[in-house]
Amino acid sequence: MKDFVRSVFDATVQIPKGRVSTYGDIAIALGDVAASRIVGVILARNPRPIVVPCHRVVYSNGEVGWYGGKGRGAERKRELLSKEGVRIKDGRIENFDSVRFADFKIDPMLKDLRREQDAMSRKVVERDDFGKMKFIAGLDVSYADDDAFAAMVLYDCSEDAVVDRKTIRRKATFPYIPSYLAFREIPVLADLIDGRKDTVYLVDGQGVLHPRGFGIASHIGVAFDIPTIGVAKSLLCGVIEKEEAKKSPIRLEGDLKGYLVRQSGKHPLYVSVGHRVSLESAASVVEKLLDKGKVNPLQEAHRLANDARKSALNTEAAKG
DNA sequence: GCGACAG
DNA sequence: ATCTTGTCGC
């Protein structure tokens, strides 16, 4: 998080007086326009306004936008820009194209992360490659700002019972950016993963159903060489072929890469291969564990992570 | 009006 | 993901 935030500020101070840039332009300089929303969030919390001239960052349609958070400070932002010689009419930059600055000299770090995903994605095994599936583990993370609370719940298949629970607290080192979730959550989850080959891990997020075929479930699978399944609550990419009652195929560029799985009347889940599990096995594991529309070990991990966060926060609030 | 993207 | 009061439905 520190490095990413610093990069956003580094870019912002490069915008000259009398010029403006956009959240998307800074995101592109960081390597991916997908980061534009988090650039906005970070600049909205800029602790050093003026020094870090976030008032020079506007919407891509030329509207001036807010200053210091959504719905706030638009007037102040217009004032500051006007004083710097930027002409504004009806809340829009007048000669937007000519005053727009995008020649940032910063490290496009997201490009490197994409390359890492592309390289590692070639190692994904999309067929059953595990011993006896003795355990199924659920992983999840809960946040309070940069405080991350991760949970692991271990379910014994033969005993049909939870046999282990672990939680851990870490500082998040990277923001949430769609398609880069793994870089936020893997450092938090790492110490909860032991490389046992008789355990299939369920991960809250996509597997190969990802723009580069390498969502967090696949990333964890390849990084730790363990079987994993991606179970997401919403779709990142892909097309649902035809909506059936229980199980519908999802295609990515024409290839079958996932299933929408649901219990009647409940929200759907999007299942895809993480690593060393076939799509058919992944779907059947999830279907078997479905209870009230949720996958049991994941639901338990979710609750555990939330509880850990709330009790930690309450304890600290009590201490003052 | 369209698109709007895991957690 | 999290922030949050009332409101709707079973």
Side-chain angles (χ1 to χ4, degrees):
Chain A
M1 200 69 200
K2 244 171 111 186
D3 291 346
F4 192 90
V5 170
R6 161 167 280 209
S7 284
V8 171
F9 291 157
D10 283 351
T12 306
V13 295
Q14 290 174 20
I15 307 167
K17 187 184 282 190
R19 306 284 298 276
V20 296
S21 191
T22 75
Y23 302 99
D25 287 343
I26 293 175
I28 289 167
L30 289 162
D32 196 328
V33 72
S36 49
R37 283 185 296 276
I38 194 66
V39 168
V41 169
I42 289 166
L43 289 179
R45 298 175 186 166
N46 175 13
R48 288 170 177 70
I50 309 299
V51 178
V52 176
C54 58
H55 60 280
R56 295 175 192 156
V57 185
V58 302
Y59 291 166
S60 63
N61 62 6
E63 285 176 27
V64 169
W66 310 116
Y67 188 59
K70 191 174 181 181
R72 306 166 50 185
E75 187 56 43
R76 172 87 179 127
K77 193 168 178 178
R78 284 197 289 269
E79 247 174 55
L80 287 167
L81 287 172
S82 298
K83 258 187 238 170
E84 296 180 347
V86 177
R87 315 235 52 92
I88 296 159
K89 192 180 178 186
D90 300 329
R92 274 186 127 91
I93 311 291
E94 276 214 89
N95 43 350
F96 186 40
D97 289 343
S98 53
V99 297
R100 186 169 179 174
F101 174 89
D103 187 25
F104 296 104
K105 304 285 192 284
I106 58 167
D107 175 40
M109 62 169 82
L110 296 176
K111 259 186 196 165
D112 296 332
L113 299 184
R114 270 207 308 286
R115 265 192 217 106
E116 196 178 325
Q117 290 176 326
D118 286 334
M120 287 179 82
S121 72
R122 295 198 299 265
K123 298 182 178 174
V124 171
V125 173
E126 294 182 69
R127 54 183 168 74
D128 290 326
D129 182 22
F130 49 85
K132 191 165 169 22
M133 198 193 299
K134 197 166 180 325
F135 300 102
I136 294 170
L139 298 172
D140 198 16
V141 187
S142 175
Y143 296 91
D145 292 322
D146 285 355
D147 273 320
F149 299 83
M152 190 277 313
V153 165
L154 192 66
Y155 167 86
D156 188 318
C157 300
S158 55
E159 291 182 22
D160 187 25
V162 172
V163 291
D164 196 16
R165 300 163 205 267
K166 284 195 178 111
T167 62
I168 205 164
R169 180 181 189 170
R170 293 280 183 271
K171 220 71 175 169
T173 57
F174 196 78
Y176 170 69
I177 303 168
S179 84
Y180 300 85
L181 174 64
F183 299 102
R184 177 167 176 79
E185 300 207 331
I186 289 181
V188 178
L189 289 167
D191 289 340
L192 293 177
I193 299 166
D194 53 14
R196 296 180 55 149
K197 299 296 193 288
D198 57 357
T199 304
V200 173
Y201 283 82
L202 302 180
V203 183
D204 202 338
Q206 308 292 351
V208 298
L209 208 48
H210 177 276
R212 293 172 287 287
F214 203 64
I216 185 169
S218 298
H219 202 139
I220 289 175
V222 171
F224 296 89
D225 193 28
I226 52 175
T228 58
I229 297 170
V231 184
K233 295 180 288 297
S234 69
L235 213 49
L236 175 62
C237 59
V239 177
I240 299 160
E241 204 165 68
K242 54 179 186 308
E243 190 106 24
E244 308 275 355
K246 287 179 59 183
K247 186 178 164 196
S248 322
I250 304 171
R251 306 198 95 95
L252 201 54
E253 288 156 16
D255 298 327
L256 178 64
K257 286 291 173 183
Y259 282 115
L260 180 162
V261 173
R262 84 191 316 164
Q263 277 180 324
S264 66
K266 302 291 182 181
H267 286 153
L269 295 172
Y270 303 91
V271 180
S272 61
V273 171
H275 184 48
R276 296 175 60 158
V277 178
S278 68
L279 177 56
E280 299 308 319
S281 297
S284 81
V285 165
V286 169
E287 283 178 307
K288 278 201 190 90
L289 292 169
L290 227 41
D291 176 31
K292 293 169 191 157
K294 314 256 187 183
V295 191
N296 226 307
L298 272 179
Q299 176 63 15
E300 283 283 285
H302 187 74
R303 199 186 53 73
L304 189 57
N306 262 319
D307 289 350
R309 172 174 57 86
K310 284 174 186 165
S311 65
L313 260 49
N314 286 341
T315 305
E316 277 157 36
K319 281 181 185 171

